Amino acid sequence: MSSRMGEPLIVVRVIGEVVDSFIPSIKMSVTFKDKQVFNGHEFYPSTVATKPRVEIQGGDLRTFFTLVMTDPDVPGPSDPYLREHLHWIVADIPGTTDATFGREVVSYETPRPDIGIHRFVFVLFKQNRHQLISPPSSRDRFSTRDFAAENDLGLPVAAVYFNARRETAARRR
């Protein structure tokens, strides 16, 4: 897999603000109902209300992965001083399967962006072994980078993001 796959993540600063630069080496597909997530696609919160199917291709059944879903644009993209908000963590996902076979460390929380268009980022890490991934103390002010360091996960092996905004037309204040 080439470094070109990471380019959309650089442009929107997912690489930089959420994770360090990495070369994607595993194929991950994220699907809500029947809609696959591609970098930069926009979804309504109602479409992403229930957790997606996350399929991993690459590795084998002796390889385990951890998936993190986060929103780095809290409370709003122009001033994300609360970045990041954690939406989901699944650990011990066997290679060549999907996240339903993993262990949910932090349950899925539906994206509910208030202000502006938020990026919702799925980051996949390869575990060194079958290991205990501890839940963070809070969903607020989460750091994907720190979480990876604390759990000895290294750099990501895959990432994808989508955009979402409030469904109702927000009145200007």
Side-chain angles (χ1 to χ4, degrees):
M1 239 175 271
S2 74
S3 58
R4 293 190 64 81
M5 294 201 50
E7 283 179 12
L9 300 172
I10 295 168
V11 172
V12 300
R13 299 184 317 280
V14 165
I15 290 177
E17 293 177 358
V18 180
V19 294
D20 293 327
S21 187
F22 72 98
I23 294 174
S25 57
I26 294 287
K27 195 167 185 300
M28 170 177 69
S29 72
V30 179
T31 312
F32 286 97
K33 298 179 181 111
D34 58 348
K35 294 181 169 57
Q36 189 173 347
V37 173
F38 292 101
N39 285 322
H41 282 202
E42 188 165 321
F43 290 98
Y44 286 118
S46 57
T47 307
V48 297
T50 54
K51 64 183 158 193
R53 181 175 172 87
V54 178
E55 293 175 277
I56 298 165
Q57 288 149 15
D60 54 45
L61 292 172
R62 291 184 308 275
T63 314
F64 294 96
F65 296 92
T66 294
L67 176 75
V68 174
M69 177 188 175
T70 181
D71 173 359
D73 297 318
V74 183
S78 59
D79 185 19
Y81 64 91
L82 295 176
R83 118 172 3 139
E84 302 161 43
H85 184 80
L86 176 65
H87 282 269
W88 199 26
I89 296 178
V90 184
D92 295 331
I93 306 165
T96 71
T97 67
D98 65 67
T100 54
F101 290 94
R103 183 175 59 83
E104 204 169 54
V105 177
V106 176
S107 62
Y108 182 79
E109 182 181 282
T110 302
R112 290 187 188 86
D114 275 341
I115 308 161
I117 298 171
H118 289 232
R119 296 164 297 168
F120 291 89
V121 185
F122 294 90
V123 183
L124 189 70
F125 296 94
K126 183 174 182 250
Q127 296 173 203
N128 293 322
R129 61 197 173 284
H130 203 71
Q131 66 193 82
L132 183 64
I133 302 286
S134 307
S137 54
S138 170
R139 289 180 187 261
D140 297 318
R141 296 181 190 268
F142 179 77
S143 165
T144 300
R145 203 178 262 116
D146 291 352
F147 172 79
E150 286 157 18
N151 288 282
D152 194 25
L153 293 171
L155 288 172
V157 292
V160 68
Y161 82 97
F162 67 90
N163 293 319
R165 65 174 94 192
R166 275 177 72 157
E167 259 167 279
T168 54
R171 277 190 233 113
R172 294 205 184 281
R173 290 187 176 85

